[in-house]
Amino acid sequence: KWKQMVADDGRQSSSVLPTPSRFLLNLSKPTLPHPQWEEISVMDERNTPMRTYQVCNVMEANQNNWLRTRHISREGAQRVHIEIKFTLRDCNSLPGVPGTCKETFNMYYYESNNANLWFIKESQYVKIDTIAADESFTQVDVGDRVMKLNTEVRDISNLSKKGFYLAFQDLGACIALVSVRVFYKKCPLTVLNLAQFPDTITGGDTALVEVRGVCVNASEEFEAPKMYCSADGGWLVPIGRCVCKPGFEENKDGCQPCRPGTYKASATDAYCTKCPPHSSSPQEQAFECVCERGFYRAETDPRSMACTRSPSAPENPISTVNETCITLEWSPPRDTGGRGDVTYSLHCRKCSGDSRKCTPCGSSIHFVPRQFGLSSPTVLVTDLQPDSNYSFTVESQNGVSDLSPTPKGTVVINVTTSQTVSVVLKERRSKDSVTLAWQGPERPDGAIVEYEVIYYEKREQNYTVLKTRSNMMTVEGLKPGTTYVFRVRARTDGGYGTYGGEIELETRLPRVRSYLSIRIYNIGVQNIHDHKAAVHFSCRHCGYIKAKQDPDEEKMQFQHGRVKLPGSRIYIHPHTYEDPNQAVRDFAKEIDASNIRIERVIGAGEFGEVCSGRLRVQGKREIYVAIKSLKAGYSDKQRKDFLSEASIMGQFDHPNIIRLEGVVTKCKPVMIITEFMENGSLDTFLKKHDGQFTVIQLVGMLRGIASGMKYLSDMSYVHRDLAARNILVNSNLVCKVSDFGLSRVLEDDPEAAYTTRGGKIPIRWTAPEAIAYRKFTSASDVWSYGIVMWEVISYGERPYWEMSNQDVIKAIDEGYRLPAPMDCPVVLHQLMLDCWEKGRSDRPKFGQIVTILDKLIRNPASLRELANSSACREDPSTPELSVNTVDEWLEAIKMGQYKENFSSAGYVSLDSILYISVSELAKMGVTLAGHQKKILSSVENLQSQGTHVQV
Ligand code: AMP
């Protein structure tokens, strides 16, 4: 009578604990009087024998038949899934059975470290669920085909002991248990960004498990790699990365050694590169190349620089003697050794007259600017002795000279300093002139070009220089009876000689006193002060934020009075009013408290309770309203902030913005009255109705929100806290943007967290530029809108799940974006990604979003391609069945009740249903949203699979 013909098809995306044959099953309580579960062999449709456990004591009352497994080890998993396949007999189909016949059975578990319990008391078991059949036999003569196999999956969470026992309790049904599959899910071992993440068992109740990655061979951490293992067994949110060590580069399998002739010096370099000139790497894995013979690399040289050598000698030396100073100059070496850091050092030796014997100069002479490490090819040597021979060796060197064993390139300059002019031999004085005669140097270092006579009045600073080619001069125009000091020196081809000794001479006194003018060359140095004008750019700080805002924001703030831009009205910030009460009077209608009837509390706001109730407006019917009241004991500031929400809301008039009915300010409590939204806030609403809407319905909600936001952005209002929790839903599923209080982002929102800059921001919903530097614009609202889209399509899932705010900020900065939620059309996920563009000008405007969503609604086929229809997302409980007719298909997807609706609407072949729409379904009487969704999603599968339908 019980013929089981569908085998366990073995479809699974995850590990399986012991197979049924290994652990099933022991009959317990064998002493009970009536037959219990029996182990029976039957044939499946391919005539393969298989074992089932059956019980069918429907004729007798008071059944309590237990079947339990052996101990099943949990292997470290905290959450285990149990898939059971069974058939269950419909009581109505059994002639003459009493009313005690059941169509359900119970599944239990008992956690234990003991793997050998032979008896477990009924009361010790924890109930997993009561299992009912989706399908039951109605007829015995099912022929050769069995289609009534039920598959149910249940979870047990937070397991902690070594293992558990499963038990099935029959209370009088007719059941055949075909297979029990116990499995847990893992995130499979994977390698990403050169970090290996181990096989990870998914978490228990907390959805995400944080896993640290280990850098693969020959790589090292650049930033600690981590990922999250989701409850579905998928990896999410990669953060950080490893990089190949020096000497290795990344390829598709990990890190490979650099080939000979190439090298990689730093882990952060991307690739191995060719050795630079004059170097080579004969082995693989080189992190630097070795210099050729005679070439070197200085310690501070980058590894990418060519190897270099010492420079050649300096060339073309020239010397110019000036008294006991010498200027030495030379040309840079012809070969700089391949470097730009050539410097010069000098060594000085003083030599005898015949230059045979030279000794080091000692420290009495000086080099300007310095003796060693000169960067320019010139030096001034001072404090030499006159009439002496010197030999200077100029040495060139560079950054690798010290590494090279070869001697440094040098050039020698021999110089003789000038002689002193001989003492003045003759002198003649008058009252206003002095005549001097002198003898030239005995051994001049070249032909004498001229003599220089310098004189000055004793005790005066200014002196006069006169030049002559002869060795005699009359200096005229002197003051009578005045003492002058004179000195003479010679100039040869090689420069000036040293001055001879000073001669003091006094002019004669005049007979008649007269004043003479003296030509004076003032050679004193005058300090010139460079008076740089101190230019002060005085910056006047503007009192309004407006000056700092970009054009997006500029329009919105601080415009007093109603300003009209062509075609749009501009929102007026209540703070621009000196008297905030005036703003309330301007934008909100005063309501007489006697017209309000408060009925019940529906929520808690920042300033007090939120209630629902009714408002009687003269000449109109009573309407349902929400009433926010300001709790007693408020401060002036609280009253102002509370009412600011009304003065903002009162400026808006749009079907997707919550409508202000009015305020009560003349008596206490102060109240704000808005339209009533029967379904409350959107996030709670979606969680409550998980999976119950069609994609089109969800897109319709999103369209409404986008339209409300377009209106706000057209009015230059930036919301700053757009999130599903701040959207309200009415009974027609119309979504309206709400929450306009001024202080709300700072105080009210439990999601808001303090940022490093001090402000409180709902991180998960907020654009990066708004988090980083408080750049709130309509474009940052668009980012938040993208998050709202994700919340809506995932039915109220928390964005970025349990990740910490810090990790969210980091992940976003690294380019991570939320993946498509389950069953999310590709186009919608793409639109979300567009809203999450890093550059705010790259994000769509709300007007464009509305247009895009309108197009999708008009053309639902564009929503068919799902972003994540991959195998890992498949529900293991939905096997594929082959169907040939519309009726078979409806049966297969458990929508058999609509067979007649379809046939009478003319849908008789499978082809005809391929492009069916929601409105057609509604017309033919399929009005339940859940059923419409089920049918349409199956049609989508039908399109992609031919006649293989996902049930
Ligand atoms: P709020 O202070 O605006 O965040 O309101 C607190 C809670 O009261 C919201 O989360 C809603 O559940 C509820 N609420 C506020 N306004 C309305 C309304 N107009 N209609 C229905 N429920 C509302």
Side-chain angles (χ1 to χ4, degrees):
K1 188 153 98 167
W2 293 83
K3 200 164 159 202
Q4 182 52 64
M5 302 187 78
V6 179
D8 177 2
D9 63 3
R11 273 165 33 105
Q12 57 194 56
S13 61
S14 46
S15 322
V16 181
L17 283 176
T19 55
S21 58
R22 247 178 74 195
F23 69 85
L24 273 177
L25 299 151
N26 282 342
L27 286 175
S28 62
K29 295 193 191 168
T31 52
L32 282 182
H34 47 72
Q36 296 209 340
W37 293 84
E38 286 175 292
E39 192 177 345
I40 292 176
S41 290
V42 291
M43 297 299 196
D44 74 2
E45 61 188 346
R46 293 184 203 92
N47 271 341
T48 311
M50 57 185 284
R51 303 289 277 176
T52 69
Y53 282 88
Q54 302 191 1
V55 66
C56 193
N57 300 332
V58 286
M59 303 307 283
E60 295 157 59
N62 301 327
Q63 293 297 309
N64 185 18
N65 308 315
W66 286 77
L67 177 69
R68 76 154 226 234
T69 67
R70 293 206 187 106
H71 187 260
I72 304 169
S73 161
R74 78 179 166 94
E75 296 185 2
Q78 291 173 43
R79 180 197 297 243
V80 159
H81 308 270
I82 302 141
E83 182 207 76
I84 49 175
K85 292 190 177 185
F86 60 95
T87 56
L88 198 60
R89 186 73 188 249
D90 178 352
C91 290
N92 288 337
S93 70
L94 299 165
V97 291
T100 52
C101 171
K102 298 280 185 314
E103 291 179 351
T104 60
F105 61 96
N106 297 322
M107 182 153 76
Y108 294 85
Y109 76 104
Y110 173 67
E111 255 202 286
S112 172
N113 290 327
N114 187 341
N116 298 311
L117 290 179
W118 68 273
F119 179 71
I120 300 162
K121 273 199 283 184
E122 280 175 32
S123 61
Q124 286 177 300
Y125 283 111
V126 179
K127 183 163 171 181
I128 300 172
D129 205 356
T130 297
I131 310 288
D134 283 340
E135 293 297 340
S136 54
F137 285 123
T138 47
Q139 287 294 312
V140 177
D141 56 344
V142 287
D144 281 350
R145 286 175 55 78
V146 171
M147 294 183 293
K148 312 292 188 185
L149 187 69
N150 292 283
T151 305
E152 295 285 335
V153 181
R154 297 291 183 272
D155 294 350
I156 350 178
S157 268
N158 297 330
L159 292 171
S160 58
K161 300 206 171 148
K162 272 192 190 148
F164 53 90
Y165 297 83
L166 287 178
F168 302 90
Q169 180 194 30
D170 164 53
L171 296 168
C174 205
I175 313 158
L177 199 50
V178 176
S179 90
V180 177
R181 199 162 69 94
V182 182
F183 61 96
Y184 57 80
K185 294 187 181 180
K186 291 197 295 192
C187 292
L189 178 140
T190 189
V191 174
L192 192 79
N193 293 337
L194 294 177
Q196 178 171 311
F197 295 87
D199 241 358
T200 303
I201 297 170
T202 55
D205 269 350
T206 44
L208 297 181
V209 181
E210 186 184 312
V211 183
R212 269 296 286 267
V214 177
C215 292
V216 298
N217 271 350
S219 71
E220 61 189 39
E221 273 190 13
F222 176 72
E223 196 191 342
K226 78 182 177 184
M227 277 215 278
Y228 292 89
C229 173
S230 74
D232 280 350
W235 289 106
L236 296 170
V237 203
I239 295 176
R241 66 189 168 105
C242 302
V243 286
C244 291
K245 287 183 176 162
F248 292 85
E249 67 182 348
E250 190 172 344
N251 69 356
K252 63 179 181 353
D253 305 319
C255 295
Q256 68 180 13
C258 294
R259 276 173 296 116
T262 67
Y263 77 107
K264 199 185 90 168
S266 150
T268 51
D269 293 341
Y271 299 107
C272 302
T273 39
K274 243 179 93 191
C275 285
H278 304 299
S279 69
S280 62
S281 61
Q283 312 287 341
E284 15 180 68
Q285 291 185 23
F287 56 86
E288 66 175 358
C289 299
V290 190
C291 290
E292 286 168 14
R293 254 178 95 110
F295 287 85
Y296 308 92
R297 183 176 285 129
E299 216 169 278
T300 51
D301 285 351
R303 297 298 173 255
S304 56
M305 191 173 134
C307 292
T308 52
R309 58 181 167 189
S310 307
S312 59
E315 296 183 359
N316 309 322
I318 316 166
S319 63
T320 312
V321 182
N322 189 352
E323 298 181 43
T324 48
C325 302
I326 299 173
T327 305
L328 301 174
E329 287 171 275
W330 57 91
S331 318
R334 207 167 295 169
D335 176 10
T336 58
R339 309 180 62 93
D341 59 352
V342 176
T343 57
Y344 310 94
S345 297
L346 283 103
H347 302 280
C348 170
R349 290 188 309 154
K350 192 164 179 251
C351 302
S352 61
D354 56 6
S355 292
R356 284 220 184 121
K357 216 176 130 213
C358 297
T359 50
C361 296
S363 57
S364 58
I365 64 165
H366 295 101
F367 295 82
V368 180
R370 73 190 82 89
Q371 183 176 4
F372 302 105
L374 288 164
S375 48
S376 305
T378 177
V379 70
L380 174 70
V381 190
T382 63
D383 303 311
L384 296 165
Q385 287 181 5
D387 201 10
S388 305
N389 293 328
Y390 288 93
S391 174
F392 294 98
T393 305
V394 186
E395 187 181 88
S396 60
Q397 60 192 44
N398 64 16
V400 294
S401 294
D402 291 342
L403 302 171
S404 164
T406 52
K408 290 175 183 144
T410 56
V411 65
V412 176
I413 312 173
N414 294 318
V415 207
T416 307
T417 49
S418 306
Q419 294 176 347
T420 315
V421 171
S422 304
V423 282
V424 173
L425 299 173
K426 287 185 197 164
E427 45 155 285
R428 202 175 58 217
R429 292 172 293 155
S430 73
K431 65 177 191 320
D432 58 358
S433 71
V434 169
T435 300
L436 298 172
W438 58 85
Q439 195 178 352
E442 255 172 45
R443 286 180 286 112
D445 60 352
I448 291 176
V449 179
E450 61 185 6
Y451 291 98
E452 192 183 84
V453 177
I454 184 168
Y455 70 95
Y456 54 91
E457 215 181 306
K458 204 173 174 186
R459 285 182 288 277
E460 288 290 330
Q461 294 276 311
N462 298 332
Y463 58 86
T464 303
V465 177
L466 297 171
K467 289 183 178 172
T468 179
R469 287 176 184 246
S470 84
N471 52 355
M472 197 184 121
M473 176 184 266
T474 300
V475 182
E476 296 175 317
L478 304 178
K479 288 186 207 165
T482 309
T483 305
Y484 287 90
V485 178
F486 296 88
R487 298 183 80 184
V488 181
R489 69 172 174 174
R491 182 163 78 86
T492 67
D493 299 340
Y496 284 99
T498 49
Y499 283 107
E502 290 180 353
I503 309 168
E504 281 188 25
L505 293 171
E506 192 181 355
T507 47
R508 294 180 194 281
L509 280 171
R511 262 170 237 135
V512 182
R513 198 177 173 86
S514 68
Y515 291 98
L516 297 167
S517 65
I518 301 171
R519 206 156 49 102
I520 289 177
Y521 296 86
N522 187 343
I523 310 210
V525 179
Q526 185 190 353
N527 278 332
I528 299 168
H529 290 284
D530 185 11
H531 289 284
K532 274 192 187 148
V535 182
H536 294 282
F537 292 96
S538 60
C539 177
R540 199 164 63 83
H541 286 278
C542 307
Y544 289 112
I545 292 175
K546 192 175 170 183
K548 290 191 236 153
Q549 287 182 321
D550 71 358
D552 300 5
E553 278 172 297
E554 207 169 314
K555 289 183 279 167
M556 84 170 250
Q557 304 273 358
F558 307 116
Q559 299 192 34
H560 210 294
R562 280 175 191 251
V563 180
K564 272 219 168 215
L565 279 191
S568 70
R569 243 186 56 207
I570 296 293
Y571 152 80
I572 300 156
H573 196 288
H575 276 179
T576 51
Y577 278 82
E578 250 167 58
D579 173 11
N581 293 321
Q582 185 56 43
V584 180
R585 283 194 292 275
D586 275 4
F587 299 122
K589 196 170 81 189
E590 181 72 28
I591 290 177
D592 190 334
S594 63
N595 290 331
I596 301 166
R597 199 166 73 207
I598 297 178
E599 285 172 344
R600 63 175 174 278
V601 178
I602 54 169
E606 182 198 349
F607 296 96
E609 285 171 344
V610 183
C611 299
S612 66
R614 288 167 214 231
L615 171 70
R616 203 160 18 85
V617 190
Q618 254 181 358
K620 286 193 197 159
R621 65 193 169 88
E622 237 181 13
I623 56 168
Y624 284 100
V625 286
I627 303 146
K628 280 188 185 181
S629 48
L630 177 60
K631 56 184 170 247
Y634 52 82
S635 66
D636 258 9
K637 180 171 182 309
Q638 280 173 321
R639 181 179 193 274
K640 199 171 93 184
D641 286 349
F642 176 71
L643 285 173
S644 70
E645 180 165 18
S647 21
I648 295 170
M649 221 189 302
Q651 300 181 47
F652 304 139
D653 179 16
H654 187 272
N656 297 102
I657 306 289
I658 193 83
R659 190 180 69 246
L660 177 75
E661 295 296 344
V663 289
V664 177
T665 60
K666 299 218 165 102
C667 62
K668 287 187 183 173
V670 176
M671 290 186 267
I672 296 177
I673 318 295
T674 61
E675 67 181 304
F676 180 60
M677 301 292 283
E678 294 82 351
N679 281 314
S681 59
L682 178 60
D683 62 332
T684 323
F685 175 68
L686 287 171
K687 281 179 206 148
K688 210 156 84 191
H689 297 278
D690 192 355
Q692 292 180 5
F693 301 114
T694 61
V695 179
I696 293 288
Q697 281 174 307
L698 297 177
V699 175
M701 293 182 202
L702 288 173
R703 196 256 175 219
I705 302 166
S707 172
M709 288 309 296
K710 174 183 183 305
Y711 174 83
L712 293 181
S713 69
D714 286 349
M715 281 192 74
S716 301
Y717 177 82
V718 180
H719 190 286
R720 296 179 177 222
D721 196 11
L722 180 58
R725 64 184 169 280
N726 289 329
I727 304 290
L728 292 168
V729 189
N730 73 9
S731 55
N732 298 322
L733 293 195
V734 176
C735 290
K736 306 201 181 196
V737 181
S738 84
D739 217 12
F740 298 101
L742 279 186
S743 61
R744 69 191 197 274
V745 179
L746 291 175
E747 311 296 341
D748 188 21
D749 192 333
E751 281 294 350
Y754 285 98
T755 63
T756 45
R757 301 193 52 164
K760 223 179 161 196
I761 287 176
I763 300 289
R764 282 154 216 274
W765 282 263
T766 305
E769 74 276 5
I771 296 173
Y773 49 100
R774 303 190 67 77
K775 185 86 193 158
F776 286 97
T777 58
S778 290
S780 61
D781 277 353
V782 166
W783 179 291
S784 314
Y785 178 81
I787 303 287
V788 172
M789 284 184 74
W790 192 89
E791 289 184 277
V792 168
I793 304 296
S794 62
Y795 285 91
E797 179 66 274
R798 178 168 166 73
Y800 311 97
W801 307 275
E802 305 311 318
M803 280 170 69
S804 71
N805 281 341
Q806 269 323 307
D807 280 353
V808 171
I809 293 173
K810 208 155 137 201
I812 291 299
D813 187 48
E814 287 181 357
Y816 172 78
R817 297 293 183 267
L818 280 167
M822 203 151 87
D823 293 339
C824 174
V826 170
V827 277
L828 291 183
H829 188 230
Q830 188 51 52
L831 184 54
M832 296 177 203
L833 294 174
D834 292 345
C835 294
W836 301 328
E837 277 289 344
K838 194 177 175 75
R840 66 199 152 92
S841 54
D842 297 334
R843 297 171 203 154
K845 305 277 174 292
F846 279 115
Q848 294 168 307
I849 297 176
V850 173
T851 312
I852 292 168
L853 295 179
D854 278 343
K855 273 195 195 144
L856 296 181
I857 293 168
R858 278 200 302 275
N859 178 18
S862 55
L863 294 162
R864 288 207 180 116
E865 191 192 340
L866 298 187
N868 49 13
S869 47
S870 65
C872 67
R873 293 262 175 193
E874 275 177 20
D875 181 349
S877 66
T878 55
E880 244 175 37
L881 281 190
S882 197
V883 294
N884 297 311
T885 65
V886 174
D887 282 1
E888 268 180 33
W889 164 63
L890 287 170
E891 285 285 353
I893 62 170
K894 299 171 194 162
M895 291 285 121
Q897 68 268 41
Y898 294 120
K899 278 192 217 162
E900 256 189 55
N901 306 48
F902 271 74
S903 63
S904 45
Y907 292 97
V908 286
S909 73
L910 281 178
D911 290 347
S912 65
I913 57 161
L914 286 183
Y915 297 100
I916 202 161
S917 67
V918 193
S919 58
E920 282 162 319
L921 285 177
K923 251 189 264 159
M924 72 168 78
V926 184
T927 48
L928 286 176
H931 290 182
Q932 290 174 346
K933 188 182 171 199
K934 195 162 190 180
I935 291 171
L936 286 177
S937 76
S938 177
V939 166
E940 275 165 29
N941 286 317
L942 200 59
Q943 282 171 339
S944 58
Q945 297 167 11
T947 50
H948 288 275
V949 182
Q950 286 277 312
V951 181

mmCIF file of all heavy atoms in Angstrom, residues 618-636:
data_model
loop_
_atom_site.group_PDB
_atom_site.id
_atom_site.type_symbol
_atom_site.label_atom_id
_atom_site.label_comp_id
_atom_site.label_asym_id
_atom_site.label_seq_id
_atom_site.Cartn_x
_atom_site.Cartn_y
_atom_site.Cartn_z
ATOM 1 N N GLN A 618 -13.445 70.980 10.703
ATOM 2 C CA GLN A 618 -14.762 71.517 10.361
ATOM 3 C C GLN A 618 -15.045 71.392 8.875
ATOM 4 O O GLN A 618 -14.198 71.713 8.036
ATOM 5 C CB GLN A 618 -14.835 72.978 10.774
ATOM 6 C CG GLN A 618 -15.694 73.095 12.019
ATOM 7 C CD GLN A 618 -15.848 74.493 12.506
ATOM 8 O OE1 GLN A 618 -15.285 75.422 11.959
ATOM 9 N NE2 GLN A 618 -16.642 74.625 13.545
ATOM 10 N N GLY A 619 -16.234 70.919 8.595
ATOM 11 C CA GLY A 619 -16.654 70.805 7.200
ATOM 12 C C GLY A 619 -16.101 69.576 6.508
ATOM 13 O O GLY A 619 -16.405 69.327 5.352
ATOM 14 N N LYS A 620 -15.267 68.808 7.232
ATOM 15 C CA LYS A 620 -14.704 67.597 6.600
ATOM 16 C C LYS A 620 -15.003 66.416 7.512
ATOM 17 O O LYS A 620 -15.364 66.579 8.676
ATOM 18 C CB LYS A 620 -13.183 67.711 6.458
ATOM 19 C CG LYS A 620 -12.745 68.647 5.371
ATOM 20 C CD LYS A 620 -11.264 68.417 5.137
ATOM 21 C CE LYS A 620 -10.640 69.568 4.387
ATOM 22 N NZ LYS A 620 -9.214 69.611 4.565
ATOM 23 N N ARG A 621 -14.825 65.202 6.949
ATOM 24 C CA ARG A 621 -15.075 64.050 7.812
ATOM 25 C C ARG A 621 -13.877 63.840 8.734
ATOM 26 O O ARG A 621 -12.790 64.365 8.475
ATOM 27 C CB ARG A 621 -15.384 62.808 6.987
ATOM 28 C CG ARG A 621 -14.254 62.345 6.149
ATOM 29 C CD ARG A 621 -14.754 61.316 5.142
ATOM 30 N NE ARG A 621 -13.707 61.077 4.171
ATOM 31 C CZ ARG A 621 -12.752 60.163 4.321
ATOM 32 N NH1 ARG A 621 -12.743 59.390 5.367
ATOM 33 N NH2 ARG A 621 -11.817 60.009 3.404
ATOM 34 N N GLU A 622 -14.097 63.046 9.763
ATOM 35 C CA GLU A 622 -13.029 62.755 10.714
ATOM 36 C C GLU A 622 -11.902 61.993 10.012
ATOM 37 O O GLU A 622 -12.170 61.122 9.194
ATOM 38 C CB GLU A 622 -13.605 61.851 11.807
ATOM 39 C CG GLU A 622 -13.442 62.429 13.160
ATOM 40 C CD GLU A 622 -13.997 61.487 14.228
ATOM 41 O OE1 GLU A 622 -14.283 60.297 13.960
ATOM 42 O OE2 GLU A 622 -14.118 61.979 15.322
ATOM 43 N N ILE A 623 -10.683 62.311 10.327
ATOM 44 C CA ILE A 623 -9.574 61.539 9.723
ATOM 45 C C ILE A 623 -8.702 60.945 10.829
ATOM 46 O O ILE A 623 -8.651 61.465 11.935
ATOM 47 C CB ILE A 623 -8.699 62.406 8.787
ATOM 48 C CG1 ILE A 623 -8.154 63.638 9.522
ATOM 49 C CG2 ILE A 623 -9.434 62.798 7.533
ATOM 50 C CD1 ILE A 623 -7.069 64.365 8.760
ATOM 51 N N TYR A 624 -8.028 59.822 10.467
ATOM 52 C CA TYR A 624 -7.088 59.211 11.403
ATOM 53 C C TYR A 624 -5.789 60.002 11.384
ATOM 54 O O TYR A 624 -5.318 60.385 10.303
ATOM 55 C CB TYR A 624 -6.812 57.762 11.013
ATOM 56 C CG TYR A 624 -7.951 56.849 11.371
ATOM 57 C CD1 TYR A 624 -8.879 56.437 10.409
ATOM 58 C CD2 TYR A 624 -8.101 56.409 12.686
ATOM 59 C CE1 TYR A 624 -9.935 55.621 10.744
ATOM 60 C CE2 TYR A 624 -9.159 55.589 13.025
ATOM 61 C CZ TYR A 624 -10.070 55.205 12.058
ATOM 62 O OH TYR A 624 -11.112 54.394 12.398
ATOM 63 N N VAL A 625 -5.260 60.223 12.560
ATOM 64 C CA VAL A 625 -4.024 60.995 12.631
ATOM 65 C C VAL A 625 -3.044 60.346 13.624
ATOM 66 O O VAL A 625 -3.442 59.539 14.457
ATOM 67 C CB VAL A 625 -4.263 62.453 13.100
ATOM 68 C CG1 VAL A 625 -4.889 63.286 12.007
ATOM 69 C CG2 VAL A 625 -5.064 62.493 14.388
ATOM 70 N N ALA A 626 -1.767 60.716 13.447
ATOM 71 C CA ALA A 626 -0.758 60.367 14.461
ATOM 72 C C ALA A 626 -0.490 61.627 15.263
ATOM 73 O O ALA A 626 -0.463 62.728 14.705
ATOM 74 C CB ALA A 626 0.512 59.877 13.795
ATOM 75 N N ILE A 627 -0.336 61.460 16.571
ATOM 76 C CA ILE A 627 -0.193 62.629 17.442
ATOM 77 C C ILE A 627 1.103 62.476 18.226
ATOM 78 O O ILE A 627 1.272 61.524 19.001
ATOM 79 C CB ILE A 627 -1.389 62.702 18.418
ATOM 80 C CG1 ILE A 627 -2.690 62.733 17.609
ATOM 81 C CG2 ILE A 627 -1.260 63.908 19.348
ATOM 82 C CD1 ILE A 627 -3.830 62.023 18.278
ATOM 83 N N LYS A 628 2.034 63.386 17.972
ATOM 84 C CA LYS A 628 3.277 63.373 18.746
ATOM 85 C C LYS A 628 3.150 64.426 19.809
ATOM 86 O O LYS A 628 2.794 65.567 19.501
ATOM 87 C CB LYS A 628 4.463 63.761 17.860
ATOM 88 C CG LYS A 628 4.982 62.672 17.004
ATOM 89 C CD LYS A 628 6.263 63.141 16.352
ATOM 90 C CE LYS A 628 6.758 62.102 15.380
ATOM 91 N NZ LYS A 628 7.985 62.482 14.738
ATOM 92 N N SER A 629 3.425 64.088 21.056
ATOM 93 C CA SER A 629 3.285 65.122 22.079
ATOM 94 C C SER A 629 4.617 65.356 22.785
ATOM 95 O O SER A 629 5.484 64.478 22.835
ATOM 96 C CB SER A 629 2.201 64.721 23.085
ATOM 97 O OG SER A 629 2.417 63.402 23.484
ATOM 98 N N LEU A 630 4.743 66.591 23.271
ATOM 99 C CA LEU A 630 5.970 66.985 23.968
ATOM 100 C C LEU A 630 5.768 66.704 25.445
ATOM 101 O O LEU A 630 4.829 67.222 26.074
ATOM 102 C CB LEU A 630 6.219 68.481 23.714
ATOM 103 C CG LEU A 630 7.409 69.120 24.409
ATOM 104 C CD1 LEU A 630 8.707 68.446 23.995
ATOM 105 C CD2 LEU A 630 7.480 70.612 24.058
ATOM 106 N N LYS A 631 6.652 65.842 26.001
ATOM 107 C CA LYS A 631 6.443 65.428 27.392
ATOM 108 C C LYS A 631 6.601 66.626 28.342
ATOM 109 O O LYS A 631 7.290 67.604 28.009
ATOM 110 C CB LYS A 631 7.397 64.294 27.763
ATOM 111 C CG LYS A 631 8.850 64.622 27.555
ATOM 112 C CD LYS A 631 9.715 63.409 27.852
ATOM 113 C CE LYS A 631 11.139 63.698 27.405
ATOM 114 N NZ LYS A 631 11.628 62.950 26.315
ATOM 115 N N ALA A 632 5.981 66.491 29.485
ATOM 116 C CA ALA A 632 6.001 67.593 30.457
ATOM 117 C C ALA A 632 7.423 67.837 30.957
ATOM 118 O O ALA A 632 8.272 66.937 30.907
ATOM 119 C CB ALA A 632 5.102 67.228 31.640
ATOM 120 N N GLY A 633 7.679 69.048 31.419
ATOM 121 C CA GLY A 633 8.985 69.372 32.002
ATOM 122 C C GLY A 633 10.020 69.689 30.953
ATOM 123 O O GLY A 633 11.214 69.582 31.194
ATOM 124 N N TYR A 634 9.578 70.059 29.753
ATOM 125 C CA TYR A 634 10.536 70.349 28.678
ATOM 126 C C TYR A 634 11.184 71.721 28.876
ATOM 127 O O TYR A 634 10.641 72.597 29.521
ATOM 128 C CB TYR A 634 9.810 70.328 27.333
ATOM 129 C CG TYR A 634 8.578 71.215 27.286
ATOM 130 C CD1 TYR A 634 8.702 72.594 27.048
ATOM 131 C CD2 TYR A 634 7.304 70.685 27.481
ATOM 132 C CE1 TYR A 634 7.592 73.407 27.017
ATOM 133 C CE2 TYR A 634 6.192 71.501 27.458
ATOM 134 C CZ TYR A 634 6.345 72.858 27.226
ATOM 135 O OH TYR A 634 5.259 73.663 27.198
ATOM 136 N N SER A 635 12.365 71.855 28.289
ATOM 137 C CA SER A 635 13.030 73.160 28.321
ATOM 138 C C SER A 635 12.588 73.954 27.090
ATOM 139 O O SER A 635 11.970 73.392 26.176
ATOM 140 C CB SER A 635 14.540 72.971 28.279
ATOM 141 O OG SER A 635 14.892 72.428 27.018
ATOM 142 N N ASP A 636 12.961 75.242 27.069
ATOM 143 C CA ASP A 636 12.624 76.093 25.924
ATOM 144 C C ASP A 636 13.214 75.545 24.646
ATOM 145 O O ASP A 636 12.589 75.537 23.594
ATOM 146 C CB ASP A 636 13.195 77.508 26.152
ATOM 147 C CG ASP A 636 12.096 78.451 26.591
ATOM 148 O OD1 ASP A 636 10.984 77.927 26.872
ATOM 149 O OD2 ASP A 636 12.357 79.671 26.651
#
